[in-house]
Amino acid sequence: MPPNSKSLIRTAFEYSLLIVPLYLLAGAPLLRSFFGSPGETDDEVADLISKLNTSTLMIPDEDLICPKSTYVVHILSRDPLVAYIEDFIRNDEASHLVEISEPNFTPSTVWAGSEESHDMTIRLSEKALLPRDHTVKCIEARARAFQGWRPDVFIEELYSQRYGPSGYYRHHFDGGVSSSRFGRISSFMVYLDASCTGGGTNFPKLKRPENKSWCKFIECGDEISKGIDGEELEGITFKAIKGNALYWENFRPDGSMYEESWHAGLPVKTGTKIGLNIWSWYQKGYEELLKSQKSP
Ligand SMILES: *[C@@H]1O[C@H](CO)[C@@H](O)[C@H](O)[C@H]1NC(C)=O
Ligand SMILES: *[C@@H]1O[C@H](CO)[C@@H](O)[C@H](O)[C@H]1NC(C)=O
């Protein structure tokens, strides 16, 4: 044993104690009843997969025809990959998504392991499942295309989130359980409505880019927001700008979490913010399985 592996193990253990209570899943977990660390043996992995609710994974339409997109991408970080996307969603698409969300808004929940709750000290917002119409399918297709149509990657059913004055979501990870074979590998946060002050998205562990051109999209100087409890924030806070989106990866290929993906929705001070979450789930072998089910 190398001399400091004991202290390394101890640190990892303490870290896991710290993380578990904060181990909140954004949205519904695809794995219905899981608590703890991902299984390592084939049996444990098979057991986890048997609990996967595949009806939340969207199967793309083969003959879908969508308008050409004209967004502009700025890479913020290469490891993990974090990209800022200008005009990811057009104004008419944003209005439509808000309109179809309206009847479905209900108070948002948080997940810790398999426990779902309305914990307003963690998250104060409303969420709406988007009915899967043509626009929604085209947004899913755009998110898949952005990721290079990666095999075995599926878009989860889309939810919007509405934050009124003082609405927020404390720092959390979007991904829960993962391994090299499955997991919520990436997230998009799209701003559908940003008729608000405040409501930025903070990533304390991301390094601030040097060039001032970024100040169009991230808070700089006097603009820098305080945290939910009035604390100084580290890292980067992205401004809520309608139509624009952030994209980041939650896991390394081996299934370990990127700590840099830790983020919060800061309190809205005035007005309303509506965000669209697009989560991508990697499920090794699932595409092959679907193909075999289709062929007689
Ligand atoms: C699986 O997901 C679908 C679609 O969201 C949902 O209607 C259903 O209740 C889920 N089933 C379970 C067992 O969680
Ligand atoms: C930031 O980028 C712009 C655009 O390329 C460039 O003109 C400017 O010199 C850069 N500023 C710094 C401080 O590097």
Side-chain angles (χ1 to χ4, degrees):
M1 229 187 214
N4 47 9
S5 57
K6 221 179 187 167
S7 65
L8 259 178
I9 289 166
R10 199 174 135 239
T11 313
F13 178 69
E14 283 169 356
Y15 182 67
S16 72
L17 287 182
L18 181 75
I19 287 304
V20 167
L22 301 172
Y23 174 38
L24 305 166
L25 272 177
L30 270 80
L31 296 166
R32 289 193 294 272
S33 57
F34 178 81
F35 194 75
S37 56
E40 289 304 326
T41 70
D42 281 359
D43 278 356
E44 282 166 334
V45 170
D47 182 49
L48 284 169
I49 289 173
S50 70
K51 290 175 179 151
L52 178 73
N53 185 354
T54 48
S55 52
T56 66
L57 301 183
M58 300 298 104
I59 312 296
D61 282 8
E62 272 161 26
D63 47 7
L64 186 70
I65 297 170
C66 295
K68 200 167 181 286
S69 42
T70 54
Y71 55 77
V72 176
V73 180
H74 309 284
I75 305 290
L76 186 119
S77 158
R78 285 166 182 79
D79 184 32
L81 181 58
V82 180
Y84 190 89
I85 316 166
E86 270 186 278
D87 302 321
F88 187 66
I89 297 231
R90 295 192 316 264
N91 269 340
D92 60 310
E93 289 172 328
S95 312
H96 174 74
L97 296 180
V98 169
E99 199 179 298
I100 62 173
S101 301
E102 291 293 348
N104 293 355
F105 278 119
T106 55
S108 296
T109 50
V110 295
W111 292 83
S114 58
E115 302 288 316
E116 185 178 23
S117 68
H118 294 284
D119 188 337
M120 268 125 62
T121 64
I122 295 170
R123 180 179 211 182
L124 182 59
S125 67
E126 295 166 294
K127 67 173 178 183
L129 179 64
L130 298 185
R132 199 173 179 225
D133 65 10
H134 184 262
T135 305
V136 169
K137 285 181 187 171
C138 284
I139 306 293
E140 291 168 8
R142 195 174 305 165
R144 285 190 73 234
F146 183 87
Q147 298 176 80
W149 306 278
R150 278 172 74 175
D152 290 326
V153 168
F154 296 84
I155 306 298
E156 297 179 33
E157 50 188 0
L158 298 187
Y159 281 89
S160 58
Q161 303 283 343
R162 181 165 65 188
Y163 297 82
S166 79
Y168 60 84
Y169 191 3
R170 281 186 192 277
H171 287 97
H172 63 280
F173 291 114
D174 281 359
V177 55
S178 65
S179 83
S180 59
R181 296 175 235 205
F182 61 86
R184 186 179 275 169
I185 52 160
S186 69
S187 301
F188 291 80
M189 164 73 216
V190 190
Y191 301 104
L192 297 182
D193 182 3
S195 46
C196 62
T197 56
T201 308
N202 175 251
F203 286 75
K205 293 180 198 295
L206 280 183
K207 204 168 154 273
R208 173 170 276 277
E210 275 171 29
N211 195 293
K212 291 273 176 287
S213 302
W214 276 101
C215 295
K216 206 166 137 193
F217 312 124
I218 69 179
E219 294 181 348
C220 294
D222 292 347
E223 297 172 327
I224 295 181
S225 297
K226 293 271 199 310
I228 292 158
D229 304 310
E231 77 280 15
E232 301 288 333
L233 290 169
E234 289 179 31
I236 300 178
T237 298
F238 293 93
K239 301 175 190 178
I241 302 174
K242 183 175 175 174
N244 293 1
L246 312 171
Y247 168 85
W248 68 92
E249 293 184 343
N250 294 309
F251 299 111
R252 293 181 191 83
D254 69 2
S256 61
M257 182 118 57
Y258 280 122
E259 281 178 52
E260 293 90 338
S261 67
W262 182 248
H263 64 285
L266 299 181
V268 166
K269 289 177 191 151
T270 59
T272 303
K273 175 178 84 169
I274 301 180
L276 169 69
N277 298 118
I278 308 176
W279 291 308
S280 298
W281 185 269
Y282 172 65
Q283 188 66 53
K284 191 170 185 216
Y286 189 51
E287 208 162 282
E288 203 53 43
L289 184 73
L290 289 172
K291 264 186 221 147
S292 69
Q293 284 169 351
K294 240 198 287 182
S295 51

